[in-house]
Amino acid sequence: MATILTDLKESFRRGNVHIRLIYINVAVFLTATLAGIVLQLFNLSAGSLLQWFELPASLSRFVVQPWSILTYMFLHANVWHILFNMLWLYWFGTLFLQFFSARHLQGLYFLAGICGGVLYMLAYNLFPYFRPMTDYAFLLGASASVLGIVAATAYREPNYPIRLLLIGTIRLKYLALIVIGLDVLSITADNAGGHIAHLGGAVAGWWWAASLSKGADLTRWLNRTTDWVKGLFVRRPRKPKMKVHYGANTERQKDYDYNARKKAQNDEIDCILDKLKKSGYESLTTEEKKSLFDASKR
């Protein structure tokens, strides 16, 4: 068991950022599932506990649990939900890293997830169709984040060929348009909140890629925040203690250094003068002539 955990830690440490995100999502899913099993054995429900980490559609509930705008994108409803999301994250995360950096992927995962969550809450509070469900609707899943990665990659390389099983090769821009179109057509269907979040994530991915092409990185502040949070859990190496003494000893050291330099300069001039006396001025090198000239000015 210890060997397995060591291998997993090493794989996580060596993996690219999308691999690490997959590890985190799977770890959260397993932890939540096992916690639900344990609670169920005691005739308790894990649903009310998990809702504190899912994103509520109700704005009044969101004010009480603002962290859910981040935590919801690491939760999944069942095995099939996390399986499809992680497969898409692996495929398109690998493709994304061919054109962008790992820090870009890390920042975009959070940016697209946040934008997807914000659009979800806005839709449920603005449109009368959703208002009867607002107090009971909760959002969870990494789909918005993944769609942001897909949209950004499609913006960067729209004609990149994607080979699909039973369908054949299709350009990335058409695949992205099909997925986004299906979400638009499903806004009032089952899982309406999820489809709305997908659209928010896709818009965020397109917005980020378009801005980056003009020299603006919208994920910079997110990456800086993530680095700061990571720094809270990383132990910094302790600096060796150094003792500094001030006072008379310091003054004596300064006098000693000055006298040593003065003596070395005088010895050098004495040697040059001896050479001048024996062989004449023309025998001196350029450096010796310069040293003699500088000494005459002091």
Side-chain angles (χ1 to χ4, degrees):
M1 187 64 181
T3 304
I4 295 175
L5 292 176
T6 302
D7 291 341
L8 289 174
K9 289 179 181 179
E10 186 64 18
S11 178
F12 178 85
R13 189 180 68 84
R14 293 178 177 273
N16 288 326
V17 63
H18 67 306
I19 301 298
R20 295 183 180 184
L21 288 170
I22 291 173
Y23 269 84
I24 294 172
N25 274 279
V26 172
V28 171
F29 175 75
L30 292 176
T31 301
T33 303
L34 291 175
I37 292 173
V38 172
L39 290 173
Q40 190 171 359
L41 291 174
F42 290 93
N43 290 327
L44 299 174
S45 174
S48 57
L49 176 63
L50 287 178
Q51 282 182 357
W52 284 98
F53 301 97
E54 298 171 0
L55 183 63
S58 170
L59 294 178
S60 59
R61 178 70 185 263
F62 174 71
V63 171
V64 179
Q65 53 181 90
W67 58 82
S68 59
I69 193 68
L70 297 176
T71 56
Y72 93 90
M73 62 184 80
F74 293 97
L75 296 173
H76 291 85
N78 51 54
V79 173
W80 294 110
H81 189 199
I82 189 172
L83 177 62
F84 284 113
N85 276 344
M86 294 305 100
L87 285 175
W88 274 67
L89 178 56
Y90 176 78
W91 291 329
F92 287 97
T94 302
L95 183 59
F96 180 96
L97 290 176
Q98 295 183 27
F99 311 110
F100 303 104
S101 71
R103 285 182 65 79
H104 287 151
L105 193 150
Q106 172 185 276
L108 184 57
Y109 182 93
F110 287 103
L111 178 65
I114 291 172
C115 289
V118 169
L119 185 61
Y120 156 76
M121 287 190 292
L122 287 176
Y124 268 67
N125 287 274
L126 288 177
F127 296 114
Y129 176 81
F130 297 114
R131 285 177 186 169
M133 300 172 277
T134 301
D135 293 335
Y136 312 101
F138 290 85
L139 181 68
L140 73 165
S143 305
S145 299
V146 175
L147 261 294
I149 294 170
V150 173
T153 310
Y155 182 92
R156 173 66 172 78
E157 292 293 325
N159 295 317
Y160 190 91
I162 300 293
R163 184 174 294 276
L164 300 177
L165 185 65
L166 302 178
I167 296 177
T169 302
I170 183 174
R171 293 181 182 180
L172 182 54
K173 61 183 178 182
Y174 295 131
L175 176 62
L177 287 174
I178 290 171
V179 173
I180 294 172
L182 290 175
D183 284 321
V184 172
L185 296 176
S186 304
I187 285 179
T188 56
D190 293 339
N191 191 28
H195 294 295
I196 293 171
H198 295 174
L199 294 175
V203 170
W206 171 83
W207 179 34
W208 172 82
S211 299
L212 189 68
S213 66
K214 298 177 183 178
D217 183 6
L218 300 177
T219 62
R220 183 174 297 144
W221 68 276
L222 281 167
N223 282 321
R224 287 178 178 175
T225 303
T226 303
D227 292 340
W228 178 78
V229 173
K230 289 180 181 177
L232 298 177
F233 300 95
V234 176
R235 295 182 61 182
R236 298 179 180 178
R238 299 178 65 180
K239 296 182 179 179
K241 294 182 179 180
M242 300 178 63
K243 293 184 179 180
V244 180
H245 296 277
Y246 300 95
N249 289 338
T250 304
E251 296 300 326
R252 285 197 296 268
Q253 183 65 34
K254 290 181 179 179
D255 291 341
Y256 176 81
D257 292 341
Y258 173 78
N259 293 332
R261 289 195 303 270
K262 191 70 174 177
K263 184 177 184 305
Q265 292 172 353
N266 291 336
D267 290 343
E268 181 184 9
I269 296 300
D270 289 341
C271 291
I272 295 175
L273 291 174
D274 289 341
K275 185 177 180 180
L276 177 64
K277 189 183 298 183
K278 292 177 182 179
S279 306
Y281 185 77
E282 297 301 328
S283 65
L284 301 181
T285 64
T286 303
E287 291 78 8
E288 290 172 338
K289 292 177 182 179
K290 184 178 184 303
S291 298
L292 190 63
F293 177 75
D294 292 340
S296 66
K297 296 172 62 179
R298 289 197 291 267

